[in-house]
Amino acid sequence: MPEVETRDRTAGTAAAFTVAPELAGDAYTRLSELQDVVGEMIRHAKVLGRQVPLGGGYADEVGRFMAEYGIGQQGSAIESLVAFGRELEDLKSSIAEALERYSDADGKAADDVECTGG
């Protein structure tokens, strides 16, 4: 089975992976579905970001914590989910680029094949 290779060049790394062309389309679709789930999770996390008046004392602390966890700056649920969504998009782009390179190489190889005889 032919494999498609792509290299991740972020931060100077040379990590590589291969994707079988027959499976790449399915992987791309599944990553898109996962992105949809992440988007839904972001919408739910934004609801957490609304501080609900739960009363005073411990209940007030819980309400503030939930609001901070949902939409706070560093380490919030939304920040983490958005970063994960970007990583998924980068992975989809890598798969698409690898498939394009495979297709180009396959087309070039087909052009070099000569069939003679009967």
Side-chain angles (χ1 to χ4, degrees):
M1 163 182 356
E3 293 182 341
V4 178
E5 182 177 318
T6 185
R7 298 202 182 273
D8 178 4
R9 291 183 177 85
T10 58
T13 63
F17 66 93
T18 59
V19 178
E22 302 82 26
L23 302 176
D26 185 51
Y28 192 91
T29 299
R30 301 253 182 204
L31 289 171
S32 295
E33 291 168 358
L34 183 55
Q35 280 182 306
D36 292 342
V37 171
V38 169
E40 183 68 23
M41 292 172 73
I42 289 171
R43 286 188 286 285
H44 288 296
K46 286 182 179 180
V47 171
L48 285 176
R50 297 185 203 137
Q51 187 167 355
V52 178
L54 298 174
Y58 180 70
D60 184 49
E61 289 179 37
V62 169
R64 280 197 314 266
F65 171 79
M66 293 303 287
E68 179 71 20
Y69 175 74
I71 61 171
Q73 295 296 322
Q74 187 71 16
S76 71
I78 291 177
E79 177 188 44
S80 299
L81 289 167
V82 167
F84 182 55
R86 286 188 188 121
E87 291 292 326
L88 292 173
E89 188 61 36
D90 290 346
L91 184 54
K92 283 173 46 179
S93 294
S94 293
I95 290 172
E97 289 173 19
L99 280 173
E100 186 175 326
R101 284 194 305 272
Y102 172 79
S103 179
D104 290 347
D106 195 40
K108 185 177 181 194
D111 290 342
D112 293 339
V113 173
E114 290 184 30
C115 293
T116 59

